[in-house]
Amino acid sequence: MTDDRRTTVPVWTLATGDTRVPALTEGESMTAERLAELRGVLAALADEPIVTLEVHPLPGRIDRSRGIRLDAVSPLAQHLSEFVTRASRSSLTTAKVTASGENLYRIVVPAKYATQLGQGLLRSMQSKAVAGGIRGPIVDAAGKIVGGVSFVPVGGAAAAGTAGGAGVTAGAVAAGGTALTVAAPLVLMAVAVGVSAHADHKRQQAIEHITDLLEQLHQDKLDDEHSALDGCRAAIDKATAILLDEGKLGVSLGLDSAVHTIDTALSKAGTRLARWQKALDGLPEGEPVQLAALTESFPGIDDHGGTFRTHLELASLAIALKRRVAVLQAVEHAQKEPGNPFRNFTSALQRDQQSLDALESGIAAVLVRLSTLELARPSARRPVFTPNEVDRLLRSAHRLHRLGDGAVVDSRATDVAIEIARDKDGSVVVFPPLAA
């Protein structure tokens, strides 16, 4: 890739298993659009999941608190370091780009495989700076997106046998096609940590919202539900650390009891969702709704806090924790069968994600339906309403319409990027996925 300062950034195509695709042009620049087309073609033609790996200069300003940090001896950091070492030996461009030891690596998963990993796991991060926008790809120290982008493909054989561990073979060029570099452990670990970072980011958001809401409500039962879910974090964090170091999970971690608590919370969320859907189905279609009737089924919906909003955040927290547990279970399953860890990883995730996707989509649909409701004027014998009554109606209508903001009922499949910041000491920070 080349920015306005003519900084060349290479891109590789990596496979997660032995596969063959038509020979690709090497060493010639291409546009971002052309690279996206290439990923689509490779995904369609290859028998095994493939990804592209880009290496960029590390931006001068980057929020590392959003990601998960792994030290230099972690498997992901070691796989990446070995990739950089081997690629630098065979490519002068790569050697120059990675000479400082500080870079931002982007593993881009084609939409076909991102969809298999779950709509709630790999989804574009929303932008806080621009309403309805997403985070841009690469920014400079001032936070501006770099321009003049072009990509320079590097041959698969140039980084042959890049990652140690299971599923590794040396890439080689053969007549009529290219056997891509097989780097299943590198891809597996990057995707696993990325989706775990996404789930943990959602958990942090939910915790912040729930804490604020409970301070206003002072309801002991909801506080107990929140405390029980938040108490699962320690076991999940320990299990994550062990599995990402390719260790074995034991009963002493307390993960089983944490999963039970999470499953109980998800059951409550499903029951509440069914109750909300029934209440909406019972409303007169196309007619304004009395606020009093709405708050009976959705208590506190007209307030900044409220029981309904707390139930939403508790459901969001339970889903986020369960998604992270699903990643752990998928990684454990893949590591038990190292022949093709990425395929095993994807299969395990697919088995667990469907019910979570359905619950999340159902809640989003409820929020969208609520946001479209029209509030009726308060029923009263007096022909004139007080300023307080008018103000409450206006505030409630505004808050009701805002419920649909950010709700994603069925997200469109896109290529998804997982960014990895690598420091001079070899340690890495893996960030939540974003739209490529």
Side-chain angles (χ1 to χ4, degrees):
M1 191 177 89
T2 306
D3 66 13
D4 291 334
R5 296 161 296 182
R6 298 298 179 186
T7 302
T8 300
V9 178
V11 57
W12 293 265
T13 50
L14 305 180
T16 57
D18 292 314
T19 190
R20 194 173 301 281
V21 296
L24 308 175
T25 302
E26 299 177 10
E28 297 182 5
S29 63
M30 64 172 64
T31 64
E33 291 76 12
R34 176 59 179 153
L35 180 60
E37 292 175 358
L38 173 63
R39 280 195 295 264
V41 170
L42 290 175
L45 296 179
D47 296 328
E48 300 288 342
I50 59 94
V51 302
T52 56
L53 173 63
E54 309 160 16
V55 53
H56 304 261
L58 190 65
R61 184 177 61 188
I62 190 168
D63 181 10
R64 297 171 184 267
S65 64
R66 297 181 300 102
I68 292 179
R69 175 177 289 278
L70 300 173
D71 58 36
V73 298
S74 65
L76 173 58
Q78 290 182 330
H79 292 327
L80 188 58
S81 294
E82 189 169 352
F83 177 90
V84 173
T85 300
R86 290 180 179 269
S88 298
R89 290 173 183 167
S90 57
S91 169
L92 182 59
T93 298
T94 303
K96 289 181 178 179
V97 171
T98 60
S100 68
E102 294 181 315
N103 292 96
L104 186 69
Y105 295 83
R106 301 182 83 227
I107 290 182
V108 182
V109 183
K112 173 182 176 180
Y113 302 113
T115 302
Q116 294 177 6
L117 292 169
Q119 66 172 25
L121 282 170
L122 291 183
R123 178 181 294 167
S124 59
M125 299 293 293
Q126 299 297 315
S127 169
K128 295 182 179 180
V130 182
I134 59 175
R135 289 184 52 235
I138 301 295
V139 297
D140 60 17
K144 296 180 180 179
I145 298 177
V146 298
V149 177
S150 63
F151 293 83
V152 180
V154 179
T162 54
V168 177
T169 61
V173 179
T178 299
L180 303 179
T181 300
V182 181
L186 173 60
V187 178
L188 166 67
M189 282 296 179
V191 173
V193 183
V195 295
S196 186
H198 170 75
D200 196 55
H201 177 73
K202 299 291 288 184
R203 179 197 63 79
Q204 291 176 21
Q205 287 182 322
I207 287 291
E208 292 172 1
H209 295 158
I210 293 171
T211 301
D212 181 52
L213 293 170
L214 289 177
E215 287 177 353
Q216 303 174 47
L217 283 175
H218 301 291
Q219 293 194 16
D220 291 340
K221 289 186 178 180
L222 292 179
D223 189 52
D224 290 343
E225 192 173 337
H226 162 236
S227 298
L229 280 173
D230 195 32
C232 300
R233 183 181 61 179
I236 294 175
D237 285 347
K238 291 175 184 176
T240 301
I242 290 174
L243 276 181
L244 294 182
D245 283 339
E246 299 182 342
K248 302 293 183 181
L249 296 182
V251 179
S252 61
L253 286 175
L255 192 59
D256 289 345
S257 59
V259 171
H260 174 73
T261 300
I262 296 168
D263 287 342
T264 301
L266 288 173
S267 177
K268 290 181 180 179
T271 301
R272 289 162 182 163
L273 173 59
R275 188 164 60 244
W276 297 336
Q277 291 170 330
K278 183 178 179 180
L280 285 172
D281 292 340
L283 295 177
E285 188 174 353
E287 297 181 16
V289 181
Q290 289 288 339
L291 182 59
L294 197 61
T295 55
E296 184 176 347
S297 299
F298 303 90
I301 194 173
D302 57 330
D303 294 329
H304 173 67
T307 302
F308 171 67
R309 295 175 188 270
T310 306
H311 284 163
L312 287 176
E313 295 299 339
L314 285 170
S316 177
L317 175 57
I319 290 172
L321 290 171
K322 183 64 174 180
R323 288 201 186 280
R324 195 167 181 192
V325 168
V327 174
L328 297 179
Q329 293 169 335
V331 171
E332 184 179 31
H333 177 71
Q335 290 178 349
K336 286 180 179 178
E337 300 181 37
N340 192 336
F342 192 78
R343 176 177 288 178
N344 293 336
F345 173 74
T346 303
S347 299
L349 276 182
Q350 283 182 301
R351 288 194 294 271
D352 289 326
Q353 75 182 2
Q354 293 177 353
S355 60
L356 292 177
D357 287 347
L359 177 60
E360 196 168 40
S361 295
I363 293 174
V366 165
L367 295 178
V368 170
R369 290 178 68 182
L370 284 171
S371 69
T372 61
L373 293 178
E374 178 184 354
L375 292 181
R377 296 176 55 179
S379 57
R381 296 179 180 179
R382 294 178 289 106
V384 179
F385 299 103
T386 66
N388 288 337
E389 290 174 327
V390 174
D391 287 344
R392 185 191 177 195
L393 184 63
L394 291 175
R395 284 196 306 270
S396 299
H398 176 69
R399 286 171 178 156
L400 195 64
H401 295 156
R402 289 288 304 273
L403 284 176
D405 293 352
V408 181
V409 179
D410 186 15
S411 57
R412 182 175 60 89
T414 61
D415 291 355
V416 175
I418 297 172
E419 294 183 346
I420 305 173
R422 183 173 184 267
D423 293 324
K424 289 182 179 179
D425 62 359
S427 63
V428 297
V429 177
V430 185
F431 299 100
L434 51 93

